[in-house]
Amino acid sequence: MVIAFIPVRGGSKSIPLKNIKPLCGKPLVCWNIEALEACPDVDQVIVATDSYEIEQVVNSQCYSKTSVYHRSAENASDTASTESVMLEYIHYAKLDNDICFMLVQATSPMTQTQHFSEALRLWEEGKYDSLLTCVRNYRFFWNADGTSMNYDFKNRPRRQNFSGMLMENGAFYINTVRNIVASGNRLSGKIGIYEMPEYTALEIDEPDDWMLMEKLMRKHLPIDQKPAKNDIKLFLCDVDGTLTDGGMYYAESGEELKKFNTRDGMGLQLLQKAGILTGIITSEDTQMVANRAKKLKVNYLFQGKRAGGKLEAAKEICREMNISLNQVAYIGDDINCHELLSSVGMKACPADAMPQIKQIPNIIILQKEGGKGCVREMIDKYLLNNSSI
């Protein structure tokens, strides 16, 4: 079990009620909450606060796995440590020793679902007792005595030949309840590092940080969760349960068959005429899908891509097209589509998709079921804006 713990106080002096102040159109604390809500590896999200206003904002969002914990006044003071409120909650909730406890800091809103998932996978390999996030800093550092700390000033390296130094960015930390209780610290034992992109180095502490963060977020994150249709450059879709009804049909000879919807096929052709490239990414690897993709003349076909492999396939296409994931639309129906759906700019699912998929923030839940025209519905209503076709 994985619990994500977000401590947020109401008494910030530099930026009053900082944790619920709108950042790029969304309360600061909600950026991390929504990234965690979309993470299938996280079971519970706990927001620990002393503020009624923060509690109201969090509860108003109707999150599926997030709840508020009322931290004590003593552990919400200016002098209280983050560890003190972590331990307070652990003892209050009587958490099992083996639970994975992830401390997440709201002042790092650029942490995305992908980062949480990748770090948890690294930790689950069992090589480390605890883990923290860092960014690679390429600055040259000096000691107070006038000696260089991380490079030879007589042989100054070029940036591309300089490995830099790892700097803690404060985004999140992973440990077990047992280790936290025993050490009284968020980190203990053999410590591993999950390296995050350099742009995530900034934390919000002062008003100037706020302005810089907004600029960085607009540059690096898909801020507009539902971009205008003319921003979408690539349309991707799953096969089983999306282009098909998810059924498995067998001929007398034992040959497996799939039932596709011709209207979905026409929708893909209409997209291509509109200048939007198309692709299929599926967990299965069959000749019949290859044949269907060839007939539809899709631009990209990736088969045998399970879970995280789907996201990597989409990234590969984006690199080739020189576009961002925010310019991608994707429709999928099951948990192996979760990571990719959580990462793209426009996301949709059939009416009969799995509940975990329907809970992804900002997903479009279509009226039609898989294999019954849901792909065409998404294309007509949300990409071509022509529901009369």
Side-chain angles (χ1 to χ4, degrees):
M1 182 178 185
V2 178
I3 293 179
F5 186 78
I6 310 177
V8 284
R9 296 191 306 123
S12 173
K13 290 186 171 63
S14 58
I15 307 175
L17 285 176
K18 169 179 67 179
N19 291 300
I20 52 173
K21 179 180 177 181
L23 177 71
C24 292
K26 188 183 300 182
L28 174 60
V29 69
C30 292
W31 285 100
N32 270 318
I33 293 175
E34 292 183 10
L36 290 163
E37 284 272 331
C39 182
D41 305 292
V42 174
D43 299 292
Q44 292 182 23
V45 181
I46 306 297
V47 178
T49 185
D50 61 322
S51 166
Y52 176 68
E53 290 90 344
I54 293 175
E55 179 184 5
Q56 278 190 310
V57 168
V58 172
N59 287 339
S60 69
Q61 305 300 312
C62 299
Y63 295 124
S64 64
K65 54 187 177 184
T66 299
S67 57
V68 173
Y69 167 69
H70 295 277
R71 61 198 283 184
S72 67
E74 178 186 358
N75 285 325
S77 67
D78 292 338
T79 57
S81 68
T82 299
E83 273 76 6
S84 67
V85 70
M86 290 168 60
L87 290 167
E88 176 189 322
Y89 176 74
I90 287 171
H91 292 307
Y92 165 82
K94 296 181 173 60
L95 297 183
D96 184 89
N97 281 332
D98 294 324
I99 286 176
C100 174
F101 196 90
M102 181 162 60
L103 169 65
V104 179
Q105 307 216 96
T107 49
S108 296
M110 284 196 288
T111 310
Q112 299 177 65
T113 299
Q114 174 189 350
H115 301 140
F116 292 123
S117 292
E118 291 177 351
L120 283 166
R121 291 192 194 112
L122 174 62
W123 182 78
E124 287 167 358
E125 290 176 3
K127 298 177 183 178
Y128 308 106
D129 298 302
S130 58
L131 184 147
L132 78 155
T133 59
C134 291
V135 296
R136 196 165 291 275
N137 190 300
Y138 293 93
R139 298 284 186 177
F140 296 136
F141 291 94
W142 286 74
N143 297 303
D145 63 1
T147 57
S148 56
M149 185 182 299
N150 64 335
Y151 80 111
D152 179 4
F153 71 90
K154 295 179 181 178
N155 187 25
R156 185 180 294 267
R158 296 183 304 166
R159 180 185 171 97
Q160 55 266 42
N161 298 327
F162 181 55
S163 60
M165 294 181 70
L166 288 171
M167 180 184 78
E168 188 172 341
N169 70 345
F172 61 95
Y173 307 79
I174 302 175
N175 207 337
T176 61
V177 168
R178 175 184 286 105
N179 291 341
I180 295 169
V181 171
S183 65
N185 198 289
R186 69 192 74 180
L187 295 171
S188 57
K190 186 176 181 182
I191 300 171
I193 292 172
Y194 172 68
E195 189 172 340
M196 292 179 65
E198 189 177 0
Y199 63 79
T200 64
L202 180 64
E203 295 181 82
I204 297 179
D205 290 314
E206 303 296 333
D208 285 348
D209 298 334
W210 197 277
M211 293 184 290
L212 291 171
M213 183 67 78
E214 285 199 321
K215 290 182 179 180
L216 284 171
M217 291 182 74
R218 294 190 186 282
K219 178 179 179 181
H220 294 285
L221 300 190
I223 299 301
D224 299 315
Q225 297 296 324
K226 294 182 181 178
K229 64 181 186 296
N230 57 4
D231 290 335
I232 296 297
K233 306 298 181 186
L234 172 67
F235 176 82
L236 300 173
C237 63
D238 184 31
V239 175
D240 291 331
T242 304
L243 280 174
T244 77
D245 60 5
M248 299 179 69
Y249 302 89
Y250 291 92
E252 191 69 29
S253 62
E255 181 184 7
E256 183 182 341
L257 306 173
K258 293 182 186 292
K259 179 185 176 183
F260 292 89
N261 188 292
T262 57
R263 293 188 178 90
D264 289 341
M266 177 57 71
L268 291 171
Q269 293 178 42
L270 291 170
L271 279 183
Q272 293 160 1
K273 288 181 181 179
I276 298 175
L277 299 192
T278 59
I280 292 173
I281 302 179
T282 175
S283 301
E284 302 298 322
D285 191 352
T286 63
Q287 186 58 47
M288 72 183 87
V289 171
N291 293 340
R292 182 62 175 161
K294 183 178 180 180
K295 183 174 182 179
L296 295 175
K297 298 179 180 180
V298 299
N299 303 96
Y300 299 96
L301 172 63
F302 284 83
Q303 296 203 74
K305 299 296 181 182
R306 297 186 178 277
K310 291 191 173 187
L311 177 58
E312 292 308 312
K315 287 181 176 179
E316 183 178 329
I317 299 173
C318 288
R319 285 192 290 268
E320 181 179 324
M321 292 179 61
N322 194 28
I323 63 174
S324 72
L325 282 169
N326 195 42
Q327 295 172 288
V328 177
Y330 179 63
I331 177 173
D333 72 302
D334 212 333
I335 56 174
N336 58 353
C337 300
H338 197 291
E339 192 170 19
L340 179 51
L341 281 168
S342 300
S343 302
V344 297
M346 183 180 289
K347 58 206 76 178
C349 67
D352 57 343
M354 293 300 293
Q356 299 96 315
I357 298 301
K358 292 181 178 180
Q359 291 170 2
I360 294 175
N362 300 302
I363 195 166
I364 300 166
I365 301 175
L366 300 164
Q367 295 180 357
K368 295 186 182 295
E369 297 181 350
K372 298 182 180 179
C374 63
V375 173
R376 180 65 176 275
E377 179 187 347
M378 180 184 182
I379 291 170
D380 284 353
K381 290 185 178 180
Y382 298 96
L383 289 168
L384 298 180
N385 196 25
N386 188 355
S387 57
S388 63
I389 292 177

